Amino acid sequence: MRDIFDAELKQLGDDLEAMSSRVEQAVTNAGRALLTADLTLAESVIADDLAIDALERDLDERCVRLLAQQQPVATDLRVVVSALRMSASLERMGDLARHVAQVTRARYPEVAVPAGLEETFTQMQDAAVRVARRVTTLLGTRDLALAESIEQDDDLLDELHSDTFAAMLGGEWEHGPQATVDVTLLSRYYERFGDHGVSVARRIVYLVTGATAEALDPAAVRGS
């Protein structure tokens, strides 16, 4: 019986990693579509989000079944409850990638990012992809040094989010209301993407160390 339960717990971990890999692909394609006004790629991100949603539903159903049938305690309970929470964060990350793609579709054939902010959004895109890639690796390896890196990229996304508002509120902003709305939404999507990546990272730290601190202590992550 224990062997079966252990196999089910391992499958939860494998499925979370697979779900994260899909999110990584989604945000990669969403950003590429955004910066190049690639309608076909944007449409594929929007359609593929259904698969991420389906993975979350399946994983959550199995978690609930494990809680009901196995009544896990201690570490096993932490694993199952954490899987539920991480799947919710990953699903939301997929939604945010879809939202970016939807802005691209709405502005096609124009590029949604206005002149002067291309570099800012390129940096946001690069940081979001790093977050997604590191989350996927972290789920598979439990390498806590990656959790610290995810926090750092989230900090960068926060800074870039602030930069977009500084640009819009500055005296040189010459773009219309629609561009202002688009930039506000896109910047927020990327900023929240980083937040959800941090949520997954902190949940892994909790599983490995039992720590529940609101912020990761870099020294603790490095084991020093």
Side-chain angles (χ1 to χ4, degrees), residues 126-210:
D126 291 345
V129 170
R130 286 195 302 270
V131 166
R133 183 180 302 122
R134 286 166 175 164
V135 165
T136 301
T137 304
L138 178 59
L139 285 165
T141 65
R142 305 291 175 91
D143 178 359
L144 299 190
L146 290 169
E148 182 182 347
S149 297
I150 291 167
E151 290 267 357
Q152 291 169 351
D153 274 321
D154 179 56
D155 289 342
L156 175 59
L157 284 166
D158 291 343
E159 292 173 9
L160 293 168
H161 180 54
S162 297
D163 288 347
T164 62
F165 279 90
M168 289 186 291
L169 295 173
E172 298 181 0
W173 183 255
E174 298 178 348
H175 306 287
Q178 188 60 66
T180 302
V181 171
D182 288 345
V183 168
T184 300
L185 290 175
L186 288 166
S187 180
R188 178 62 171 167
Y189 297 153
Y190 278 111
E191 186 266 337
R192 289 298 294 152
F193 189 93
D195 288 346
H196 284 287
V198 167
S199 178
V200 175
R202 290 179 177 175
R203 184 56 53 176
I204 292 294
V205 171
Y206 170 65
L207 282 175
V208 174
T209 69

Side-chain angles (χ1 to χ4, degrees), residues 8 70 78 105-106 113 128 143 150 154 193 209 214 221:
E8 290 173 327
Q70 302 290 345
R78 287 210 315 246
R105 181 175 64 180
V113 176
D143 178 359
I150 291 167
D154 179 56
F193 189 93
T209 69
E214 286 297 316
V221 169

Side-chain angles (χ1 to χ4, degrees), residues 7-30:
E8 290 173 327
L9 292 179
K10 182 181 183 304
Q11 188 61 52
L12 289 180
D14 291 344
D15 289 348
L16 283 168
E17 190 175 353
M19 189 176 177
S20 183
S21 181
R22 281 186 173 270
V23 169
E24 180 184 339
Q25 189 62 56
V27 74
T28 298
N29 289 342

Side-chain angles (χ1 to χ4, degrees), residues 34 50 70 86 112 117 122 141 177 184:
L34 173 69
L50 293 174
Q70 302 290 345
M86 287 188 287
L117 284 178
T122 296
T141 65
T184 300

Side-chain angles (χ1 to χ4, degrees), residues 29-51:
N29 289 342
R32 189 175 299 147
L34 173 69
L35 295 169
T36 62
D38 188 328
L39 179 61
T40 301
L41 196 56
E43 293 281 13
S44 73
V45 173
I46 294 166
D48 290 348
D49 186 53
L50 293 174

Side-chain angles (χ1 to χ4, degrees), residues 68-80:
Q69 294 177 350
Q70 302 290 345
Q71 298 181 351
V73 296
T75 300
D76 293 338
L77 180 61
R78 287 210 315 246
V79 169
V80 177

Side-chain angles (χ1 to χ4, degrees), residues 83-148:
L84 279 168
R85 294 184 177 178
M86 287 188 287
S87 72
S89 289
L90 290 169
E91 189 275 336
R92 186 57 184 150
M93 291 168 80
D95 285 347
L96 291 163
R98 172 171 55 84
H99 292 336
V100 171
Q102 287 171 328
V103 173
T104 299
R105 181 175 64 180
R107 296 298 148 251
Y108 181 81
E110 302 297 325
V111 176
V113 176
L117 284 178
E118 298 96 338
E119 179 59 27
T120 298
F121 276 97
T122 296
Q123 290 183 53
M124 294 187 92
Q125 169 64 15
D126 291 345
V129 170
R130 286 195 302 270
V131 166
R133 183 180 302 122
R134 286 166 175 164
V135 165
T136 301
T137 304
L138 178 59
L139 285 165
T141 65
R142 305 291 175 91
D143 178 359
L144 299 190
L146 290 169
E148 182 182 347

